[in-house]
Amino acid sequence: MTGSINQQGDIQAIGGVNEKIEGFLTSAGFKGLTGTQGVMMPESNVEDLMLREDVLEAVAAGKFHVWPVAKVEQGIEILTGSTAGQQKGDGKFEPGTVLRASWMSA
């Protein structure tokens, strides 16, 4: 992931999105693509994508992933494979979620 997150957890747009994705694919390719590598990118940059053919082929083959994310919670779910969770009216997060576990340990 590259870029920044605002106070509301929104993933903000970045510059050079194509070059960053292509550069990471090139780096990951040196070690061999296993299908687990990929990048998270700001969803707001999707309209800017003009990726090289090798990137498109790796994505189509399931060897590389490009995950557009709009909120930090989406990134948490991609990285952990678990539900991030929503904050309830009492200020606590839903039971059994990543944010509940981190809130409880704080």
Side-chain angles (χ1 to χ4, degrees):
M1 180 72 195
T2 182
S4 63
I5 303 167
N6 70 18
Q7 292 173 330
Q8 287 77 42
D10 301 318
I11 308 299
Q12 299 175 321
I14 59 171
V17 66
N18 294 297
E19 294 80 4
K20 290 173 180 173
I21 293 171
E22 292 167 350
F24 186 74
L25 173 70
T26 300
S27 297
F30 288 130
K31 296 228 177 212
L33 295 176
T34 63
T36 61
Q37 297 100 335
V39 294
M40 286 187 277
M41 59 163 283
E43 187 175 87
S44 56
N45 281 111
V46 167
E47 64 189 30
D48 303 320
L49 289 178
M50 293 178 27
L51 297 168
R52 293 185 322 228
E53 190 63 31
D54 62 326
V55 178
L56 299 176
E57 289 171 2
V59 169
K63 294 182 178 181
F64 188 75
H65 305 276
V66 177
W67 294 285
V69 295
K71 302 288 284 179
V72 71
E73 292 86 357
Q74 291 172 287
I76 289 171
E77 292 178 0
I78 290 167
L79 291 170
T80 65
S82 300
T83 303
Q86 297 286 325
Q87 200 167 24
K88 301 185 307 179
D90 61 2
K92 296 179 181 176
F93 290 92
E94 300 166 303
T97 64
V98 172
L99 293 175
R100 175 66 176 254
S102 67
W103 179 82
M104 296 291 287
S105 66

